[in-house]
Amino acid sequence: MDRRRIEERIFKGLMIFSTLVILSALVLILATVIVKGLPAMNVAMITQTPKGGYYLGKEGGILNAIVGSVYLAGGATVLSILVSLPVVLYLNVYAKKGSRLVSFTRFSFDVLWGVPSIVYGAFGFTIMLFFGLRASLLCGIIAVGLLVLPIMSRAMDEVIRMIPKELLDASYSLGATRFETAFKVVVRQALPGILTAVLIGFGRGIGDAASVIFTAGFSDSIPYSLLRPAATLPLAIFFQLGTPFVEVQDRAYASAFILTVVILVISVASRLLTRRFTRHIVR
Amino acid sequence: MDSKRLLKDRLAGRVMFVLTVLSGLLVFVMAIGLYQRSRPILAIKSLRELLFSTSWHPLKGEFGFLPFIMGSLWVTGVAVVIAIPLCLLTSVYLSEYASRYVREWTKPLIDLLAGIPSVIYGVWGVLVVVPLIKDHIAPLFGTFSSGYSILAGGIVLAIMVFPIIIHVSSEVFRSVPYELREASLSLGATKWQTVKYVVLRKAMPGVIAAVVLGLSRAFGETMAVLMVAGNVAKVPSSVLDPAYPLPALIANNYGEMLSVPLYDSALLLASLILLAVVLFFNVIARVVLIRVERSIQ
């Protein structure tokens, strides 16, 4: 018809095209990891630690990295919950409405969220030097915990902010203190959101490599103490891919497959949890 | 009994207050910590020399960051150029055109893209993007490239910043009041004209902020870039050249840095520079987004 209609058509076509490009990037990435990683998978990969000469193509698996990553991300998640839950409850229950501290803290989390993980790693390294520690599980947990903190806090804050003010007022009017209101009403009401936030944090923690490269070190054995260095899945992928041996590179693809499956499971679980844990919610 | 409850309430309040203040100050603590450790090198060399020298020879005590800064700028630039049109068209589509059904299916997929670890992006880059550039794109321009190049880094980074830009700009589009769209449509404008002249114009500051957030994420991204950009410490001159971005430099040299004098200090200074650049962009973008939010309410 007229030029306006043609322009409308062209741009709508372009929009659908871009959306498809972006979605196909996701499909392409997942497909590549599955096609390359699945054939290289075997039981030894997930049940054994690297034996002598593993990085030259000899026997073994990456159990050390899987366990190391779970310890590390688990520890970092716990550390991050211990800080972010009180902070978010303070922002939403204790603090006065519209106080400077509240907006400053929210702004600061927004900014921290954008800080690259390598900077958390470098900062973790300065903490290590300050306390005279060596690269270890503990230092890795601290660095990743700090990395996860803003992610988790923002996600929790977003849900807790949505809780109707009347619910808090009802709790106060029954004589509850702010502490009781925070933990018995607010936390319960926001539980699905809080759990989702925890899972998002865990997922970020388990997938991050740049922050642990300085702080957690790498080791072929499973760490038995917080002060031992720990291998992590992303770094295992990186190191195996960097070797010139095809067999070892195949293991890198298998490891990438394992990590991707972990991330997919976490993402699906967080969606299911959101649906499941809604029974305490007052609507 | 009652005083015990009140005491608990107060005590918890104090603890929470302290934690809140501490985490609010974390970003300053990080900057100070990194600055302390980069002082040894700043005491010997001027910041200007470090930033604008191209000679990187740690063993001779020469630490010029220019090749790495340029590498970062090139890679980030390519990523942003690829990401802007695709992300804007997609977020306009998702917030203005798409049906509820499409939107509800697309959002979790884009969230998933955001959740994929950067190492996986790196593996994908090595497997798909690098060979693509080596075998198809470079010969197309009649040159040779190993494939490990700025273009490879840019493509991978672009995909990594898609979710951020789409998420923030869709939110900005959604915050544009419906009355404005209705007014435009009722004057006989087509949907695209409404988007072009009303929604985009109203949302422009927020869209720019979204792009800036994506840009600063790309600037600081480490592992994926480290794996595909080639890591050659030279100022690049074309997108098919290899580059050695700043985050890759930091991550790649953690092994040697404690055995060469001043090396650790130089790398922590590099982290401080990275932090400063990213903070600068993030603060601006966040302030703009807060303004946008307020202007609409």
Side-chain angles (χ1 to χ4, degrees):
Chain A
M1 214 176 104
D2 56 330
R3 272 184 52 193
R4 302 193 311 157
R5 286 291 146 83
I6 297 170
E7 197 183 320
E8 172 95 34
R9 283 267 170 85
I10 292 174
F11 273 93
K12 197 170 173 192
L14 282 175
M15 284 173 200
I16 294 176
F17 174 73
S18 325
T19 310
L20 290 178
V21 167
I22 287 175
L23 294 180
S24 55
L26 174 70
V27 174
L28 199 57
I29 290 170
L30 294 179
T32 308
V33 172
I34 292 169
V35 167
K36 277 292 210 176
L38 202 53
M41 272 300 285
N42 55 51
V43 183
M45 282 296 291
I46 53 172
T47 53
Q48 289 181 22
T49 55
K51 302 284 182 289
Y54 176 78
Y55 296 99
L56 301 169
K58 296 263 177 63
E59 282 168 22
I62 50 152
L63 185 66
N64 60 328
I66 297 174
V67 176
S69 265
V70 170
Y71 282 173
L72 196 98
T77 307
V78 171
L79 184 71
S80 177
I81 295 172
L82 288 179
V83 180
S84 60
L85 191 60
V87 168
V88 171
L89 288 175
Y90 184 83
L91 295 181
N92 288 288
V93 180
Y94 274 81
K96 285 197 195 85
K97 263 251 165 302
S99 92
R100 282 254 167 113
L101 180 65
V102 173
S103 39
F104 170 74
T105 310
R106 285 203 174 114
F107 189 80
S108 148
F109 278 139
D110 277 350
V111 170
L112 276 173
W113 178 86
V115 171
S117 63
I118 187 80
V119 174
Y120 285 97
F123 177 63
F125 181 70
T126 65
I127 296 179
M128 256 165 65
L129 292 178
F130 188 79
F131 289 105
L133 293 165
R134 295 245 221 102
S136 60
L137 189 56
L138 178 69
C139 298
I141 287 176
I142 293 171
V144 177
L146 291 178
L147 169 81
V148 171
L149 175 66
I151 298 165
M152 215 186 253
S153 308
R154 275 168 41 113
M156 284 185 189
D157 192 36
E158 241 161 61
V159 250
I160 292 186
R161 258 171 127 169
M162 292 305 200
I163 294 176
K165 189 89 183 47
E166 291 77 12
L167 208 62
L168 299 181
D169 291 338
S171 168
Y172 294 140
S173 68
L174 291 171
T177 62
R178 288 172 300 181
F179 181 74
E180 288 156 351
T181 308
F183 281 93
K184 289 178 184 163
V185 178
V186 174
V187 168
R188 192 168 273 211
Q189 180 77 5
L191 196 61
I194 291 175
L195 287 174
T196 310
V198 168
L199 280 177
I200 291 174
F202 185 80
R204 276 304 283 274
I206 210 161
D208 198 75
S211 59
V212 293
I213 208 162
F214 291 112
T215 48
F218 201 83
S219 147
D220 279 350
S221 54
I222 295 171
Y224 52 82
S225 132
L226 275 175
L227 295 173
R228 302 285 299 175
T232 45
L233 212 37
L235 282 184
I237 298 171
F238 178 63
F239 290 145
Q240 293 176 109
L241 198 63
T243 62
F245 307 104
V246 179
E247 299 93 331
V248 187
Q249 288 177 357
D250 276 344
R251 288 176 184 163
Y253 306 143
S255 319
F257 176 73
I258 298 171
L259 180 59
T260 309
V261 169
V262 171
I263 296 292
L264 286 176
V265 167
I266 290 174
S267 138
V268 171
S270 72
R271 255 160 228 291
L272 291 182
L273 271 180
T274 318
R275 290 204 195 131
R276 266 278 174 88
F277 278 80
T278 36
R279 53 190 168 159
H280 292 303
I281 295 202
V282 181
R283 285 180 207 276
Chain B
M1 182 63 201
D2 243 21
S3 65
K4 213 167 148 192
R5 285 174 57 210
L6 286 178
L7 189 70
K8 214 166 154 190
D9 180 59
R10 293 241 175 87
L11 215 62
R14 278 284 148 78
V15 173
M16 288 173 170
F17 174 76
V18 170
L19 283 175
T20 307
V21 172
L22 284 181
S23 49
L25 294 177
L26 180 60
V27 73
F28 298 103
V29 178
M30 286 172 83
I32 293 168
L34 292 175
Y35 175 67
Q36 282 295 338
R37 289 287 160 184
S38 38
R39 265 170 62 185
I41 194 161
L42 287 171
I44 302 177
K45 313 228 148 142
S46 70
L47 188 61
R48 197 154 156 212
E49 189 191 330
L50 289 167
L51 288 181
F52 295 107
S53 158
T54 57
S55 126
W56 176 262
H57 300 290
L59 287 171
K60 287 191 233 157
E62 290 171 3
F63 298 97
F65 285 127
L66 193 66
F68 309 102
I69 295 173
M70 290 311 287
S72 276
L73 291 178
W74 273 81
V75 173
T76 309
V78 171
V80 169
V81 168
I82 298 172
I84 288 178
L86 288 173
C87 290
L88 285 192
L89 286 166
T90 301
S91 41
V92 169
Y93 179 68
L94 291 180
S95 56
E96 306 292 322
Y97 284 84
S99 65
R100 220 188 123 105
Y101 180 76
V102 172
R103 213 178 299 162
E104 266 168 21
W105 266 98
T106 323
K107 200 186 162 292
L109 292 178
I110 291 176
D111 284 351
L112 189 59
L113 202 57
I116 294 179
S118 54
V119 188
I120 303 290
Y121 281 98
V123 170
W124 177 74
V126 170
L127 283 173
V128 176
V129 183
V130 169
L132 181 78
I133 290 171
K134 186 183 168 198
D135 300 334
H136 299 286
I137 296 181
L140 205 65
F141 291 95
T143 55
F144 171 78
S145 165
S146 66
Y148 293 93
S149 57
I150 292 175
L151 187 59
I155 291 173
V156 173
L157 278 182
I159 298 175
M160 296 184 78
V161 300
F162 283 162
I164 303 168
I165 302 184
I166 293 175
H167 185 81
V168 177
S169 51
S170 310
E171 226 155 71
V172 173
F173 288 141
R174 223 167 302 141
S175 69
V176 174
Y178 267 87
E179 291 78 3
L180 288 180
R181 291 185 183 87
E182 280 158 7
S184 162
L185 290 171
S186 70
L187 290 172
T190 62
K191 202 153 187 185
W192 169 246
Q193 283 178 318
T194 306
V195 168
K196 191 164 63 168
Y197 296 116
V198 180
V199 179
L200 271 182
R201 186 158 297 180
K202 187 85 184 157
M204 199 38 93
V207 169
I208 293 172
V211 171
V212 169
L213 283 180
L215 183 151
S216 77
R217 170 52 57 98
F219 196 79
E221 177 45 50
T222 311
M223 287 313 279
V225 171
L226 172 67
M227 291 163 81
V228 301
N231 303 338
V232 175
K234 223 182 87 189
V235 177
S237 55
S238 108
V239 290
L240 293 171
D241 281 353
Y244 204 162
L246 212 46
L249 167 77
I250 304 168
N252 223 5
N253 293 292
Y254 70 101
E256 296 100 277
M257 73 178 178
L258 285 174
S259 46
V260 179
L262 287 180
Y263 205 164
D264 59 328
S265 190
L267 290 185
L268 291 175
L269 177 64
S271 324
L272 182 63
I273 295 170
L274 202 59
L275 177 65
V277 171
V278 168
L279 281 185
F280 174 75
F281 283 132
N282 266 270
V283 167
I284 290 181
R286 291 293 169 186
V287 168
V288 169
L289 285 175
I290 290 172
R291 288 250 172 96
V292 169
E293 204 177 306
R294 274 201 201 128
S295 76
I296 280 157
Q297 276 164 4

